[in-house]
Amino acid sequence: MNKDLKNKTYTSLVSYFKARPLECLVFLISSILSFYLVAQLNLEDNLIIGNADQGNMANLARNIAEGNGAVVDNVWLMTDGGLPGNSVTHAEPYWSVYVAAIIAPFFKVFGVSRFVFILPALLINIAIAGLVAWIVAKSAPTNRIPVILGFVISIFSIPMLNAINGFSDIYLTLFMLLTGLALVYAISMNKWLLFFIAGVFAGIAVAIKPSGLLLLGIWPVYLVFINDRIAILRNLVIFLFGMMVGLTPYFTYNKANFDTFLSPGLHLVSKALTIRDSIRKAEKDNNVERIGENKWDHAHRTALYDPDAIPVHSASSDTLVSKLSKYVIRLKTFIQKSFIWGMLIPLWLMPFVLLGIVEAVLKLKSKESITNRPFDLFLVFCVLMLISGFVLGSYVSFEVRYWNYMVPLSIVLAVVGTTKVPKLVTISLLIFSLYSGGDYLINHAGLKKSTPAYAKAIDILPEGAKVFTSSPWQFVFHTKIPSVILPYSEVPETIKNTAIRYGVEYIAIVDNDTKHAYYKPLEKGQTFDYLDLIYRDEHLILYKFIN
């Protein structure tokens, strides 16, 4: 049976290559070109692994690959004293386990490096472009140019290229796309197994990032197309069961390590944001000016990195109007940066996205039930998920990567929109998208090099050492030395008590980065009465706590 399936798959692929050689050639050349250009940026020697989230993800993935378990060797969240316990090596308390589990086999096979770290995301970007092309091919089976256009725009889309970075967002995009495809087929074919598979994909998406929950917003619209309420209820239960299956490793991991089903870091991060916002509001109400320091950074660092941080009671409390104002400001920022500035969907593509939305709405007017037209139904899914982006935009502060899942869906709509314009326009878009993405990669400023401080720290610090440092995620990845965030505090007892709790004996100052003004004398080689200076050069300063 398996042999027959393999033969059919092989025959189908060969037939496709013979029937559409131009498309296949473009797909192959585009994939190789994209892979090569991205690889060139990430293959340089001694590149830094990335920022906090990237360093933490890489640390977790390497520990899995090396058989140390799904653990990290850094502590950074100090809010309310941080997570329970005093071990620097501990289970991952946030949302990185699924993605790290995907990256880990690549580390195991190819070794640990920046390029291998982003390799799964690079392959996923190609896979997403392939899915976009396949969707377009099914929507416009007689027109080959849109299929090629969909693949090229997707694989050379600047937001998608930016997502090949070690963050979880492109992984979320893939599983949201797979959920949508499985769900429209499930609705069209009324197959319980497809509803279950869609649920599993959705569960994985949620485990990768909470915004995967936006997929649940599809179900109320499902009511519009299906009259059989019993069938809807049955299929929803099957879908939710699938979600639970997809989330089972996530729940099991958290329950075994933290005696809770949800990531325990969520509660502390939520508390930290409350503290941060209260500090910002109090300083704004009292017209506090921070000379030479960004007051927003101060509030953020106090909330997350000071073990003794507490909410500051402002002179006035939030009213309903002020809360609504925050939603409006965030939404305005999302619209401005995503569409007007083109950070998510470039301006040159927006008219075609709008045409695609119109086309999706017009398809609803067809006399034939849309449930019998899975790819028309997928266009509706695209529109719904774009709407969900606006909902998300009113709730969270803007970082373009949070909305990465919208990019391939908007490309599908845009390519469908081009089917109503002259072919010359479509070809022009094809050339421009290839030029835009290629030019971005070729002229990229390059990634940040790793500091010599890490190699020096490995040489100087004894085996078993633990350090305070301002960027523990990068430090632990590049040195394998367990690291704790340098407390954002000017209280010596807080610093010393935190050191005792985690068994920290050293402070490592890398490239004069300490964040808090209290530590500025240390950057100059001066000491406090509880520290000894043991090493200093232009990149690394090491202090040891006096017992």
Side-chain angles (χ1 to χ4, degrees):
M1 194 71 179
N2 288 337
K3 189 175 180 181
D4 290 342
L5 181 60
K6 288 179 181 178
N7 288 336
K8 287 180 180 178
T9 303
Y10 174 77
T11 303
S12 177
L13 288 173
V14 170
S15 299
Y16 187 86
F17 292 151
K18 288 181 178 179
R20 300 193 168 187
L22 178 61
E23 288 176 29
C24 294
L25 184 61
V26 171
F27 295 166
L28 181 62
I29 293 173
S30 299
S31 298
I32 293 173
L33 183 60
S34 172
F35 190 98
Y36 172 78
L37 292 174
V38 173
Q40 288 303 300
L41 287 174
N42 292 273
L43 276 173
E44 292 185 57
D45 292 333
N46 205 30
L47 290 173
I48 195 166
I49 194 64
N51 75 355
D53 291 348
Q54 294 161 313
N56 187 73
M57 183 82 74
N59 177 212
L60 177 60
R62 181 169 62 188
N63 276 330
I64 295 172
E66 294 178 351
N68 301 324
V71 295
V72 291
D73 306 297
N74 68 85
V75 175
W76 66 272
L77 185 58
M78 289 293 184
T79 308
D80 198 21
L83 295 167
N86 57 7
S87 177
V88 181
T89 298
H90 56 84
E92 162 63 16
Y94 309 104
W95 297 83
S96 302
V97 176
Y98 277 46
V99 175
I102 296 172
I103 296 170
F106 288 84
F107 277 171
K108 184 78 172 178
V109 174
F110 301 109
V112 178
S113 68
R114 166 71 188 182
F115 173 69
V116 177
F117 180 52
I118 61 95
L119 180 57
L122 179 52
L123 297 175
I124 284 173
N125 186 48
I126 295 172
I128 288 172
L131 286 173
V132 168
W134 182 69
I135 293 163
V136 173
K138 293 293 184 180
S139 299
T142 60
N143 194 344
R144 297 182 180 184
I145 295 178
V147 178
I148 296 173
L149 179 64
F151 188 89
V152 172
I153 290 182
S154 182
I155 205 167
F156 284 104
S157 163
I158 292 177
M160 294 302 295
L161 292 172
N162 277 331
I164 307 172
N165 54 16
F167 286 117
S168 60
D169 305 278
I170 197 167
Y171 297 84
L172 173 66
T173 298
L174 174 65
F175 282 98
M176 291 184 84
L177 194 58
L178 291 173
T179 301
L181 283 170
L183 196 54
V184 297
Y185 265 116
I187 294 171
S188 179
M189 301 172 68
N190 196 26
K191 295 286 187 180
W192 70 266
L193 181 59
L194 290 176
F195 280 105
F196 173 77
I197 292 172
V200 172
F201 286 148
I204 295 172
V206 174
I208 289 173
K209 208 160 193 176
S211 46
L213 287 168
L214 292 169
L215 289 163
L216 291 174
I218 299 167
W219 281 91
V221 182
Y222 181 29
L223 293 168
V224 176
F225 302 120
I226 304 294
N227 296 321
D228 188 345
R229 297 295 183 261
I230 300 298
I232 292 173
L233 180 60
R234 179 198 67 209
N235 294 334
L236 176 59
V237 169
I238 293 171
F239 179 84
L240 293 176
F241 176 68
M243 278 191 73
M244 291 302 103
V245 172
L247 281 162
T248 294
Y250 168 78
F251 290 145
T252 304
Y253 179 84
N254 287 322
K255 186 64 177 175
N257 291 290
F258 305 108
D259 197 29
T260 177
F261 289 110
L262 298 178
S263 301
L266 282 175
H267 173 68
L268 287 184
V269 169
S270 176
K271 184 176 288 188
L273 296 181
T274 300
I275 294 172
R276 181 196 68 185
D277 292 345
S278 73
I279 295 172
R280 288 179 177 178
K281 190 172 191 307
E283 294 193 343
K284 181 180 179 182
D285 290 346
N286 294 311
N287 296 314
V288 173
E289 292 293 334
R290 295 191 167 274
I291 306 300
E293 184 179 6
N294 187 318
K295 62 183 178 181
W296 305 131
D297 286 347
H298 167 76
H300 181 81
R301 290 166 183 163
T302 299
L304 271 71
Y305 308 144
D306 182 354
D308 300 326
I310 57 173
V312 177
H313 296 290
S314 179
S316 61
S317 58
D318 278 349
T319 63
L320 178 61
V321 173
S322 66
K323 288 179 180 178
L324 288 174
S325 176
K326 289 180 181 178
Y327 289 129
V328 171
I329 291 171
R330 283 193 291 260
L331 183 59
K332 180 182 176 182
T333 302
F334 165 70
I335 294 172
Q336 180 185 52
K337 292 185 176 181
S338 296
F339 308 113
I340 298 176
W341 293 4
M343 294 176 69
L344 188 68
I345 301 174
L347 274 175
W348 57 267
L349 196 62
M350 272 304 300
F352 303 100
V353 175
L354 295 175
L355 284 174
I357 292 172
V358 171
E359 186 69 16
V361 173
L362 291 176
K363 287 180 181 295
L364 294 176
K365 295 183 177 182
S366 172
K367 292 182 179 179
E368 182 186 359
S369 172
I370 197 168
T371 58
N372 297 326
R373 296 174 283 136
F375 290 94
D376 289 349
L377 190 57
F378 188 83
L379 295 182
V380 176
F381 169 79
C382 292
V383 174
L384 291 174
M385 295 312 296
L386 289 189
I387 294 171
S388 78
F390 286 84
V391 176
L392 184 64
S394 67
Y395 276 91
V396 301
S397 299
F398 184 83
E399 277 193 53
V400 67
R401 64 187 180 89
Y402 295 164
W403 289 269
N404 181 263
Y405 72 89
M406 290 176 59
V407 177
L409 302 179
S410 65
I411 290 171
V412 169
L413 288 170
V415 174
V416 169
T418 64
T419 58
K420 302 298 181 182
V421 300
K423 285 187 178 181
L424 181 61
V425 175
T426 306
I427 294 171
S428 299
L429 283 175
L430 177 66
I431 295 171
F432 184 77
S433 60
L434 179 60
Y435 166 78
S436 174
D439 179 69
Y440 169 78
L441 290 174
I442 292 169
N443 294 306
H444 195 283
L447 301 174
K448 186 178 178 182
K449 291 278 189 176
S450 177
T451 172
Y454 297 138
K456 184 61 69 174
I458 293 171
D459 290 340
I460 295 173
L461 292 172
E463 186 176 350
K466 298 174 185 175
V467 305
F468 277 146
T469 187
S470 61
S471 298
W473 319 272
Q474 293 97 327
F475 195 92
V476 69
F477 178 81
H478 289 285
T479 66
K480 289 192 174 183
I481 298 171
S483 308
V484 179
I485 190 77
L486 183 62
Y488 192 76
S489 173
E490 58 189 22
V491 182
E493 288 306 310
T494 295
I495 298 165
K496 289 188 283 187
N497 289 338
T498 306
I500 292 169
R501 174 184 174 183
Y502 291 108
V504 170
E505 297 179 81
Y506 300 90
I507 292 179
I509 299 176
V510 176
D511 293 331
N512 285 335
D513 180 19
T514 56
K515 303 292 193 292
H516 198 293
Y518 172 74
Y519 300 107
K520 291 302 177 183
L522 300 184
E523 295 178 8
K524 300 175 183 178
Q526 301 172 21
T527 61
F528 298 150
D529 59 8
Y530 55 90
L531 294 173
D532 276 336
L533 175 65
I534 64 170
Y535 180 80
R536 184 186 181 201
D537 68 18
E538 62 178 317
H539 295 290
L540 178 68
I541 306 174
L542 291 174
Y543 290 91
K544 185 174 183 179
F545 282 91
I546 299 172
N547 293 328

